[in-house]
Amino acid sequence: MTPDAADAPSGRCGALGTLLTATARALPRAPLVAGAALGLLTATLPRLLSGGPADPWLALTSLRAAAVCGALGLAFLLDDPARHTTETVPTGRALRSCLRLALIAPLAALWWAAALLLVPADARPPLPEVSLEALTLALGALALAATAIHRTPEPEPGRTAAVGLLSLTLLTALLPDRWGLFVPRDSPHWADAHDRWALLLAVAVAAWGTSIREPLRGRRRPRLRPSGA
C-alpha cells in the first residue's frame, strides 16, 4: 500500500470531523434550546397541577404541547444567515442539511425521553402512539423549513416554518375526532387517527428528501453563444 493510499482514509476522516465541527458551530442554538426548555416545562404540568392522581387527559395534552414546542424549535434548524455564501461550497445542501439533522437527532431523542419521564407513569399515554405524533410534528417542521429553502432565497426560514406548523396544528386541533389527529385517548377513533399520523410522517419524510436537494435551476449550464460580430 502506498503512503498516499494509507493517508486517504485519515484525510477523509479529518475533513468529515472539520465539517461536523463547523456544522455544530452554525446550529441556531437559541431557538432549539428555547423550544426544548419550554417543552420540558410543559411536560411537568401534570405533576405540578395534580394534587392527587394525575389526570390522563392533562398528561396527553401536556405531552402533545411539549411535542409542538420541540417541533417549533426544530423549525429553525436549517437557518443559515450565510446561506448565499455557502451555496458555492463543495458540500451540497443535502449533505449540510443531513449533517445538521444527524447532530441534533440524538439530542432530540434524549429530550423526548426526558419529557416522557416527567409525566407520571400512571397517567402516561401509550408511548408508541404519542411518540409517533411527536416524530411527525418534528419532521413536519423540518420539511416546512426545507421546502421554504428550496423554493425561496430566504436564508432563515425558521420563522415561516414555525408559523406554518403552528397554524396547521391549531387547524387540525379543531377537526372532529372522526377526521382529526389530536383525538382523546379513550376515543374510538384513536387507532384511525394514528393511521393518519403515520401517513403524514411518510409525507413529511418525502417532502424533506425532495426539498433538501439543490434546485435544478441552480444546475443549468450556461448556453454557448456563437462568437463573432
Side-chain angles (χ1 to χ4, degrees), residues 34-202:
L38 185 58
L40 291 179
L41 180 62
T42 304
T44 62
L45 290 179
R47 292 185 183 274
L48 297 176
L49 300 180
S50 300
D55 182 3
W57 177 86
L58 179 59
L60 176 59
T61 303
S62 298
L63 275 178
R64 284 173 168 169
V68 171
C69 291
L72 290 176
L74 287 175
F76 295 84
L77 181 66
L78 301 183
D79 281 11
D80 183 9
R83 172 186 173 188
H84 299 301
T85 62
T86 58
E87 287 180 342
T88 57
V89 299
T91 54
R93 179 188 300 170
L95 177 59
R96 298 195 304 271
S97 299
C98 289
L99 281 177
R100 289 192 176 211
L101 179 57
L103 286 171
I104 206 66
L107 298 176
L110 290 174
W111 170 83
W112 180 243
L116 291 173
L117 291 174
L118 287 172
V119 176
D122 56 343
R124 197 174 296 153
L127 299 187
E129 286 85 349
V130 74
S131 296
L132 172 63
E133 296 180 13
L135 180 60
T136 304
L137 287 168
L139 286 178
L142 293 173
L144 288 172
T147 301
I149 288 179
H150 188 72
R151 296 184 177 276
T152 70
E154 176 59 47
E156 298 179 273
R159 184 175 300 178
T160 300
V163 171
L165 178 70
L166 189 58
S167 300
L168 291 173
T169 300
L170 293 176
L171 286 175
T172 54
L174 298 176
L175 293 174
D177 289 355
R178 183 178 180 183
W179 306 107
L181 295 172
F182 299 100
V183 300
R185 183 175 174 178
D186 56 353
S187 171
H189 302 288
W190 175 266
D192 293 336
H194 288 88
D195 288 340
R196 291 189 285 272
W197 277 109
L199 178 60
L200 287 176
L201 176 60

Side-chain angles (χ1 to χ4, degrees), residues 19-44:
L19 183 58
L20 285 172
T21 301
T23 303
R25 291 177 179 174
L27 291 178
R29 292 180 178 82
L32 292 172
V33 171
L38 185 58
L40 291 179
L41 180 62
T42 304
T44 62

